[in-house]
């Protein structure tokens, strides 16, 4: 989940029913007499420039699927055509997670060769499939929603842990929730996962495909599971990676709660020992205790006296995103070292300065819009504060997560009708991936998803705390996992039973790696 750099952080509720049988009864565009065909052409410049091999099309989908000839929304769809039409197996729809990740560019990043010629999806997969991305409704190029001015959360934000901050933070998030309803009242009830899953089926029909092949990461695992619950007979080959626990009635609230302890474990068991291993580079200490002390002192300094726009909240949010992957470990640790050892805060402030652009606000808007409509939320502020205080005894991230991953839902304009119950009934074999130490979607939740999908096979990456396993960039690739996923996509063959693969190597701060510039993660594709 945030499910924001990772989970950084929108008229009739009966349309999103909690019971699967009731949800499945609503017809989709695909079941109409005249399914719309997609016509692909040039992409918008912000997609075409980085990914010139993609083509784009726009699909009109019903705002309310119970009223298929009523108001519509526009959904942008991208395509990387199969490299070898003679070997073509069909279309492969991809989703990066979020909620709120822009899948239009994921189709590009999975297929574009890096300078060495490496592609995240295997050449055989690129030969055989049209790789299809899409921005879900409410996201980026697909009728985006906004809840407030980009500077609504003006940095530095109040210290998330301080008792004195709570009244201000509740007011800030409650006013944001009000803005979501005021600015998006007609569409707000129709932005949840059920509607996005129905849009996926409309995309399938518009592509002329009988079956939907799918790869979904993080939140995309729940999206795939919901699609499979609604349309099991239309599922072809499905990979879900970095899995949400779909079982709690307050699913998204519980997902946020579990992240705090998981992030602390990731910090303590993976990141801090890695920093200590390379004390000759970072000079933060040769043992975990010394490195931890340097991190804690830095966090306390920024909490006590913000450095420009970066206070404790911004520093925690940055660490939150850094821990999801390892791609930014070297530059983040360099910046931490420059401050903790040399007293120079410039690099750390630059790294942790929050994005206050309109794009960032729109990501926050759709993130909250989805989680607030998808599952149950308490209206009692004391519940949030009690749970955060309990978890904060062992996790530095728990208060931060309470505020940024759901506090807006406490005062949402309407109650959620409840999450879809996932049973996996009628599904073909599903391939699952999860790392053992995933801080975003902890392994215990992946086991719950696995149990909810009886036809699934789970591949566990051992000795890894990264978020997601399959089709990573070259620096983070797990060849054994990629081989399993590639074989399944090309042949439909699953491992005979649940299995595990060794963890991928952690980054090595060579002189070249230390000198390399690393861009901040793009919120539109938060899990790459």
């Amino acid at each position: 989940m945030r499910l924001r750099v990772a989970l950084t952080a929108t008229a009739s509720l009966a349309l999103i029913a909690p019971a699967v049988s009731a949800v499945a009864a609503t017809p989709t565009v695909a079941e109409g007499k005249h399914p719309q065909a997609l016509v692909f052409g040039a992409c918008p410049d912000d997609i075409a420039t980085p990914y010139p091999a993609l083509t784009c099309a726009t699909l009109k989908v019903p705002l309310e699927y119970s009223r298929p000839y009523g108001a519509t929304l526009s959904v942008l769809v991208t395509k990387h055509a199969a490299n070898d039409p003679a070997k073509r197996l069909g279309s492969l729809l991809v989703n990066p997670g979020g909620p709120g990740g822009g899948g239009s560019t994921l189709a590009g990043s999975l297929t574009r060769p890096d300078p060495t010629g490496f592609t995240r999806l295997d050449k055989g997969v690129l030969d055989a499939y049209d790789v299809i991305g899409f921005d879900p409704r409410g996201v980026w190029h697909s009728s985006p929603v906004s809840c407030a001015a980009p500077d609504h959360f003006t940095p530095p934000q109040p210290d998330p842990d301080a008792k004195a901050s709570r009244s201000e933070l509740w007011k800030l998030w409650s006013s944001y929730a009000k803005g979501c309803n005021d600015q998006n009242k007609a569409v707000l009830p129709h932005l949840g996962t059920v509607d996005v899953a129905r849009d996926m089926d409309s995309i399938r029909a518009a592509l002329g495909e009988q079956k939907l092949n799918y790869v979904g990461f993080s939140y995309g695992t729940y999206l795939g599971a919901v699609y499979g619950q609604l349309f099991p007979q239309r599922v072809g080959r499905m990979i879900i990676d970095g899995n949400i626990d779909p079982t709690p009635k307050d699913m998204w609230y519980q997902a946020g709660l579990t992240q705090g302890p998981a992030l602390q474990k990731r910090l303590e068991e993976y990141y801090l020992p890695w920093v200590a291993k390379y004390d000759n580079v970072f000079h933060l200490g040769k043992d975990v205790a010394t490195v931890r002390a340097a991190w804690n002192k830095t966090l306390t300094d920024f909490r006590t006296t913000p450095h420009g726009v970066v206070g404790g909240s911004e520093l925690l949010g940055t660490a939150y995103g850094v821990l999801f992957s390892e791609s930014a470990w070297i530059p983040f640790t360099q910046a931490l070292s420059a401050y903790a050892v040399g007293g120079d805060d410039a690099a750390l402030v630059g790294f942790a300065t929050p994005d206050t652009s309109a794009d960032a606000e729109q990501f926050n808007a759709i993130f909250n819009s989805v989680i607030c409509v998808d599952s149950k939320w308490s209206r009692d502020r004391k519940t949030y504060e009690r749970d955060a205080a309990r978890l904060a005894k062992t996790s530095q991230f728990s208060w931060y997560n309470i505020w940024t991953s759901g506090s807006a839902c406490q005062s949402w304009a309407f109650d959620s009708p409840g999450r879809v119950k996932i049973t996996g009934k009628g599904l073909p074999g599903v391939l699952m991936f999860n790392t053992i130490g995933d801080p975003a979607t902890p392994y215990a939740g992946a086991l719950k998803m696995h149990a909810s999908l009886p036809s699934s096979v789970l591949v566990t990456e051992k000795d890894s705390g990264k978020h997601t396993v399959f089709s990573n960039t070259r620096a983070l690739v797990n060849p054994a996992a990629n081989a399993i996923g590639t074989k399944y996509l090309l042949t439909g063959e699953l491992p005979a039973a649940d299995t595990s693969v060794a963890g991928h190597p952690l980054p090595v701060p060579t002189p070249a790696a230390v000198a390399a510039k690393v861009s901040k993660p793009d919120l539109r594709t938060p899990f790459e």
Side-chain angles (χ1 to χ4, degrees):
M1 202 178 101
R2 229 191 183 76
L3 271 193
R4 185 172 72 174
V5 171
L7 239 204
T8 300
T10 36
S12 172
L13 293 177
L15 297 178
I16 309 175
V20 173
S21 58
V23 175
T26 307
T28 69
V29 169
E31 295 168 318
K33 293 182 179 179
H34 304 288
Q36 179 183 348
L38 288 172
V39 179
F40 286 91
C43 289
D45 287 345
D46 51 2
I47 296 175
T49 299
Y51 303 111
L54 295 184
T55 55
C56 290
T58 299
L59 180 68
K60 294 290 186 181
V61 297
L63 173 63
E64 304 178 53
Y65 272 91
S66 63
R67 305 172 71 177
Y69 301 105
T72 62
L73 297 173
S74 295
V75 172
L76 182 79
V77 182
T78 58
K79 180 172 74 171
H80 180 279
N83 288 337
D84 190 342
K87 297 179 180 179
R88 188 179 181 278
L89 296 175
S91 297
L92 180 65
L93 191 69
V94 296
N95 179 271
S104 59
T105 54
L106 181 62
S109 67
L110 288 172
T111 58
R112 182 181 64 183
D114 72 8
T116 72
F118 173 85
T119 53
R120 292 173 59 185
L121 287 174
D122 184 84
K123 179 183 181 298
V125 175
L126 299 184
D127 284 346
Y129 285 97
D130 294 337
V131 179
I132 306 295
F134 74 108
D135 289 339
R137 56 172 61 201
V139 176
W140 201 17
H141 290 288
S142 295
S143 306
V145 295
S146 173
C147 296
D151 62 354
H152 181 83
F153 297 100
T154 303
Q157 283 290 288
D159 183 347
D161 292 58
K163 189 173 183 179
S165 300
R166 290 174 198 170
S167 177
E168 183 179 356
L169 284 165
W170 278 121
K171 182 178 179 181
L172 195 66
W173 284 98
S174 295
S175 63
Y176 193 73
K178 183 177 184 301
C180 289
N181 188 59
D182 290 347
Q183 297 188 35
N184 308 284
K185 187 172 294 185
V187 303
L188 205 61
H190 311 296
L191 296 175
T193 300
V194 166
D195 287 296
V196 177
R198 293 196 182 284
D199 292 344
M200 287 168 54
D201 201 57
S202 295
I203 293 171
R204 175 201 60 77
L207 290 168
E209 302 285 4
Q210 295 300 309
K211 300 283 186 178
L212 183 80
N213 303 298
Y214 177 76
V215 177
F217 303 95
S218 196
Y219 159 73
T221 64
Y222 179 64
L223 175 58
V226 170
Y227 181 86
Q229 196 68 32
L230 299 179
F231 308 107
Q233 75 282 10
R234 295 175 187 163
V235 174
R237 295 167 189 175
M238 179 178 287
I239 293 178
I240 51 177
D241 184 357
N243 293 271
I244 302 290
D245 178 359
T247 60
K249 292 182 178 179
D250 56 346
M251 180 184 71
W252 288 121
Y253 180 65
Q254 293 300 326
L257 291 183
T258 61
Q259 280 191 342
L263 283 159
Q264 195 69 39
K265 184 175 181 180
R266 169 74 156 156
L267 180 80
E268 297 283 346
E269 296 185 8
Y270 292 90
Y271 175 69
L272 297 183
W274 176 84
V275 176
K277 180 180 178 179
Y278 295 107
D279 180 60
N280 63 315
V281 176
F282 302 117
H283 312 296
L284 288 167
K286 297 181 179 179
D287 57 78
V288 168
T290 306
V291 178
R292 182 191 301 117
W295 159 250
N296 287 343
K297 182 180 185 303
T298 300
L299 180 58
T300 298
D301 288 352
F302 278 72
R303 282 189 192 278
T304 305
T305 306
H307 293 231
V309 296
V310 178
S313 181
E314 290 72 28
L315 193 56
L316 283 168
T318 299
Y320 177 112
V322 166
L323 291 171
F324 272 46
S325 179
E326 292 107 26
S327 59
W329 279 17
I330 292 173
F332 176 72
T333 311
Q334 287 179 282
L336 179 62
S337 174
Y339 176 77
V341 177
D344 183 353
D345 69 353
L348 192 56
V349 169
F351 204 91
T353 295
D355 184 353
T356 55
S357 68
D359 277 355
E361 189 282 319
Q362 288 176 1
F363 180 91
N364 203 36
I366 189 61
F367 172 81
N368 283 282
S369 296
V370 173
I371 66 171
C372 292
V373 76
D374 260 8
S375 63
K376 299 293 186 181
W377 293 86
S378 174
R379 296 292 188 177
D380 184 4
R381 291 180 178 181
K382 291 181 180 179
T383 298
Y384 297 76
E385 294 181 7
R386 181 190 66 239
D387 288 340
R390 169 175 56 85
L391 294 170
K393 294 176 182 177
T394 55
S395 173
Q396 294 171 315
F397 299 92
S398 292
W399 276 107
Y400 174 82
N401 238 33
I402 281 286
W403 297 118
T404 62
S405 293
S407 61
C409 301
Q410 182 272 335
S411 58
W412 207 244
F414 52 85
D415 290 332
S416 167
R419 57 94 173 96
V420 174
K421 184 178 181 181
I422 303 300
T423 67
K425 183 178 180 180
L427 277 180
V430 173
L431 182 59
M432 296 177 59
F433 289 98
N434 225 88
T435 67
I436 195 73
D438 191 329
T441 51
Y443 192 67
L447 294 178
K448 293 289 185 67
M449 177 68 89
H450 187 28
S452 298
L453 300 174
S455 65
S456 64
V457 173
L458 175 61
V459 178
T460 302
E461 185 179 9
K462 301 184 296 182
D463 306 317
S464 174
K466 184 189 176 294
H467 183 42
T468 74
V469 181
F470 178 65
S471 67
N472 278 303
T473 57
R474 187 179 187 89
L476 303 172
V477 68
N478 188 308
N482 276 14
I484 293 171
T486 296
K487 183 178 183 180
Y488 168 68
L489 289 174
L490 294 179
T491 69
E493 184 179 342
L494 288 165
D498 293 349
T499 189
S500 60
V501 294
H504 63 279
L506 294 178
V508 177
T510 62
V514 169
K517 291 185 178 181
V518 177
S519 300
K520 287 186 178 181
D522 186 342
L523 291 177
R524 294 187 296 259
T525 50
F527 303 114
E528 295 186 21

